[in-house]
Amino acid sequence: MSYLVLARKSRPQNFAQVVGQQHIVRTLRNALLRSRVPHALIFSGVRGTGKTTLARIMAKALNCESGQPPEPCCQCRSCKEIAAGNSVDLHEIDGASNRGIQEIRELKENIRFMPVMSRFKIIIIDEVHMLTTEAFNALLKTLEEPPSHVYFMFATTELHKVPVTILSRCQRYELKRVASSELAAHFARLADSEGITMEPAALNMVVRASGGSVRDGLSLLDQLFSYCGEQVSAQDAAEVLGMVGGEVIAGTAQALLAGDLAAALDRLETVTSSGMDIKRFINELLAWFRNLVVCKISKEPAQLLDLPADELAVLQETAAAHSPQSLFLLFNLLMDSLEKAAWSSRPRFAVEMAFIRAVQAEDIVPVTELLGRLDSILAGTPLPQAAAPLYEKKKTVIAEVKPPEPAPLRTAEPPPSPPMPDEPPHPADEQEPPPVRQERIPEKRDIRKDWPEFIKAVKKPWIASALERAASPELENGKLILTYHDSADCSTLKIKEQLAELTALAADFFQESLRIVFNEPSVCTVEGKNSGADAVRMERQSLANDPVVLMAAEIFNGQVRDIRIGPQFRKLLSAEQETAGGEDEA
Ligand SMILES: [Zn+2]
């Protein structure tokens, strides 16, 4: 005995057997009862939802000889011939392979004749969107005024590809994906009639994998039944379908929500070792988070989510335990990184990375909150409450995180000492160093004592070394006076950027806004006691040792041959009547 696939064996023979699509079944029945069936119908929807099945049932009903509409009797000659596929008055055309104008011309020729055995000629064109423009045009005239003995039934998965001129002449029926509960019931009945026991988890997997298509689900059942025999366990189903149980997906998601990276990676290992396609896993995990978000924001998620009751219960429970913000954040983050993982050449690594990011998201503070904190600091007002924890399960950990103390701004005055009324006076302690708590309050530093410390605090070595060469630094009326015996030693510091940096560092360290003044004998006293020639010599030396000059010489792999002297010094020179070779051309 030859094996008949489930899809054919279980094909509905009348309206009562149709799975789902009840809105359409009802309309068609009513039209049949009132003899108001339009002469052209078009059924659209995803594959395997029953488009051609409905067209055939309509054909049966229209030609049924029992005379008891709307259900076809399935007993009369016409019904039997249609079911067996050998009715002379039913023409089934595959639009994909008969798409040209020639086929449509032949069809038009054919329908000019009256039906041979039945009341009506029925023309079913499957995948009608595949017809060529010419073929559609040839059909138009016939559809406009169809002969009373002809009915057209079109089926398409891509309604948008059917010309509007055709659509406007047809009555449209849009088939929906079949709901999970209806599919589950249908598949359970079939398994039962085949004498096969299925674990509920296995049944759920088939429903999930079928994606709302009856035919897809049936072909998966065929695979399962021939692999497993009379018992179908969840493990068998997972192996055959390349899927994991819903609890693995839920477990992974919950581990991520709990910030438990180890558990999430453990689940991922289960998934990969069970041979599940990682892209499928990614899709299912994303779908799970999407459903979770829907559960959180919708009052009646059951209406929006087509899920088995137990899965819905788990989702609702999980949604209740987390704040909407944390769910949105995690969903958004996973959406981004898992989408990328699906296209990665190493999807598993990418999924692991996505998990790490998801778990770290716990530490992420929204920008708006950071700005709020900054505002509070600037305004000197007390900080608002710390951020609501993203993961409630870790509340204790997050509650310990204190808001940051307002740090003193660089140029701000030192804040007043906090009053300490509870502390008894310690007269004996007067010479002691101040208590530890007071160390946080910046005190006025002593320039001489703290100078080495300041140099140590300077991170840039060339600034530090230039500072080390300064003799007896002094603070005076908001000025930091640095004395150099050789102006070459401080030339680095006089570069605008370095000076700015040094000023900032000094302000930070000494808690005082300071102007930096260089005391260089050679230059400061140029017009004083030192001779002009001396000044020129020192200026030259300083220029020759200038790091910028040295760097330039190094970059260009050259050496300093000549130093031209500006007008200020030229005047001095002429007064001294000295000769200076430097004025020659290089
Ligand atoms: Zn019949």
Side-chain angles (χ1 to χ4, degrees):
M1 196 184 122
S2 68
Y3 174 72
L4 202 57
V5 295
L6 283 174
R8 283 196 55 196
K9 209 194 287 186
S10 66
R11 176 168 287 157
Q13 297 298 323
N14 59 23
F15 290 118
Q17 292 172 358
V18 173
V19 182
Q21 320 302 348
Q22 291 312 303
H23 58 298
I24 293 177
V25 166
R26 194 173 150 192
T27 317
L28 293 174
R29 274 178 160 160
N30 283 339
L32 282 164
L33 274 174
R34 294 175 195 154
S35 303
R36 293 176 67 91
V37 180
H39 279 262
L41 295 90
I42 186 162
F43 299 98
S44 66
V46 294
R47 68 211 168 99
T49 45
K51 298 178 293 294
T52 48
T53 298
L54 276 173
R56 284 196 201 113
I57 295 174
M58 275 303 279
K60 270 192 202 170
L62 284 165
N63 278 340
C64 182
E65 290 163 1
S66 72
Q68 287 181 327
E71 283 288 6
C73 72
C74 296
Q75 305 294 324
C76 68
R77 179 203 53 81
S78 168
C79 283
K80 281 181 175 164
E81 279 181 5
I82 291 175
N86 52 23
S87 167
V88 284
D89 296 312
L90 172 66
H91 299 270
E92 273 204 55
I93 297 164
D94 175 18
S97 47
N98 301 284
R99 55 198 302 263
I101 190 163
Q102 193 52 40
E103 284 85 356
I104 298 300
R105 282 202 185 121
E106 281 167 21
L107 181 69
K108 283 172 82 175
E109 191 61 26
N110 183 309
I111 60 176
R112 281 173 54 215
F113 303 103
M114 292 303 283
V116 183
M117 308 282 284
S118 320
R119 259 172 296 170
F120 304 109
K121 272 199 170 172
I122 316 280
I123 315 295
I124 297 177
I125 304 183
D126 199 8
E127 300 298 348
V128 70
H129 63 271
M130 299 290 278
L131 293 190
T132 62
T133 312
E134 292 76 20
F136 273 127
N137 287 339
L139 253 185
L140 261 186
K141 198 79 188 154
T142 319
L143 286 182
E144 216 160 283
E145 290 171 27
S148 58
H149 63 272
V150 175
Y151 281 91
F152 285 96
M153 316 258 169
F154 301 133
T156 178
T157 46
E158 294 179 70
L159 192 67
H160 59 280
K161 288 188 181 167
V162 179
V164 183
T165 44
I166 300 283
L167 288 180
S168 64
R169 286 163 175 82
C170 301
Q171 197 156 82
R172 271 187 261 175
Y173 296 95
E174 287 174 36
L175 282 76
K176 293 177 181 166
R177 287 177 192 277
V178 182
S180 297
S181 54
E182 284 176 296
L183 282 178
H186 182 55
F187 296 160
R189 265 199 309 274
L190 278 176
D192 208 34
S193 68
E194 297 283 313
I196 291 166
T197 326
M198 282 186 86
E199 275 183 19
L203 190 67
N204 275 345
M205 266 186 240
V206 176
V207 170
R208 247 168 53 215
S210 67
S213 161
V214 183
R215 192 168 59 220
D216 285 5
L218 291 178
S219 65
L220 293 175
L221 276 185
D222 267 327
Q223 279 181 48
L224 266 185
F225 291 174
S226 49
Y227 176 82
C228 307
E230 293 184 354
Q231 297 276 337
V232 181
S233 67
Q235 201 184 338
D236 291 335
E239 270 174 41
V240 174
L241 306 177
M243 292 178 77
V244 290
E247 76 285 345
V248 176
I249 304 286
T252 312
Q254 281 163 340
L256 290 176
L257 280 165
D260 188 346
L261 183 62
L265 293 178
D266 214 37
R267 304 279 177 155
L268 183 62
E269 174 58 30
T270 310
V271 167
T272 45
S273 61
S274 73
M276 182 187 186
D277 177 32
I278 198 136
K279 285 179 190 173
R280 185 165 210 160
F281 169 71
I282 289 169
N283 279 333
E284 294 213 7
L285 189 61
L286 280 178
W288 202 92
F289 272 101
R290 176 258 176 189
N291 293 345
L292 190 64
V293 169
V294 172
C295 273
K296 189 74 199 178
I297 57 182
S298 167
K299 288 200 175 85
E300 296 195 20
Q303 290 185 347
L304 293 170
L305 300 175
D306 176 27
L307 291 172
D310 52 339
E311 274 185 40
L312 193 65
V314 172
L315 280 168
Q316 279 178 305
E317 198 184 313
T318 314
H322 295 90
S323 70
Q325 288 84 353
S326 65
L327 297 185
F328 298 160
L329 180 78
L330 203 57
F331 179 43
N332 193 10
L333 195 148
L334 286 172
M335 187 81 192
D336 267 6
S337 42
L338 287 180
E339 289 262 283
K340 276 180 208 146
W343 298 104
S344 164
S345 58
R346 288 187 176 79
R348 180 174 176 170
F349 297 175
V351 170
E352 286 168 349
M353 207 55 228
F355 284 4
I356 292 170
R357 278 198 209 108
V359 170
Q360 283 176 344
E362 183 192 2
D363 303 329
I364 294 172
V365 180
V367 172
T368 45
E369 197 203 303
L370 282 182
L371 290 175
R373 284 191 198 173
L374 186 63
D375 282 347
S376 307
I377 290 166
L378 291 177
T381 51
L383 283 166
Q385 285 275 300
L390 292 172
Y391 298 93
E392 287 79 353
K393 282 180 186 166
K394 290 205 165 180
K395 199 169 263 171
T396 47
V397 178
I398 290 194
E400 285 167 13
V401 178
K402 287 183 198 126
E405 298 237 354
L409 292 178
R410 191 168 265 170
T411 51
E413 289 296 312
S417 317
M420 289 174 289
D422 294 340
E423 237 171 76
H426 295 283
D429 286 353
E430 268 170 18
Q431 259 97 50
E432 294 280 299
V436 179
R437 278 172 72 184
Q438 281 192 332
E439 275 201 352
R440 305 176 91 184
I441 302 152
E443 281 186 35
K444 205 147 204 160
R445 307 257 191 179
D446 181 273
I447 178 75
R448 281 170 198 277
K449 205 176 87 201
D450 294 324
W451 188 245
E453 204 189 321
F454 174 60
I455 293 175
K456 236 186 268 172
V458 174
K459 291 284 177 283
K460 288 196 174 161
W462 53 89
I463 296 186
S465 81
L467 289 176
E468 270 168 1
R469 274 174 270 157
S472 61
E474 275 170 274
L475 274 183
E476 192 187 297
N477 300 330
K479 283 186 282 187
L480 171 61
I481 304 166
L482 301 175
T483 303
Y484 285 90
H485 297 309
D486 187 342
S487 56
D489 288 342
C490 65
S491 53
T492 330
L493 298 180
K494 286 178 7 202
I495 298 167
K496 197 177 158 200
E497 289 77 21
Q498 313 289 20
L499 189 61
E501 192 166 339
L502 182 61
T503 309
L505 284 168
D508 216 23
F509 189 83
F510 294 105
Q511 288 300 308
E512 193 180 342
S513 177
L514 294 170
R515 195 158 69 82
I516 298 185
V517 177
F518 296 96
N519 183 16
E520 303 160 86
S522 59
V523 175
C524 294
T525 55
V526 147
E527 286 167 63
K529 53 195 175 202
N530 276 30
S531 71
D534 238 9
V536 170
R537 188 184 54 79
M538 297 198 68
E539 181 65 11
R540 278 206 172 131
Q541 189 189 8
S542 155
L543 281 171
N545 289 327
D546 190 294
V548 178
V549 175
L550 292 176
M551 203 188 295
E554 199 182 316
I555 288 170
F556 295 107
N557 197 20
Q559 51 180 322
V560 182
R561 296 261 318 263
D562 176 28
I563 296 170
R564 300 273 197 106
I565 294 167
Q568 179 195 355
F569 293 94
R570 210 171 281 147
K571 201 170 66 196
L572 282 168
L573 270 181
S574 60
E576 291 279 326
Q577 294 295 312
E578 288 255 346
T579 48
E583 280 205 273
D584 296 334
E585 292 293 324

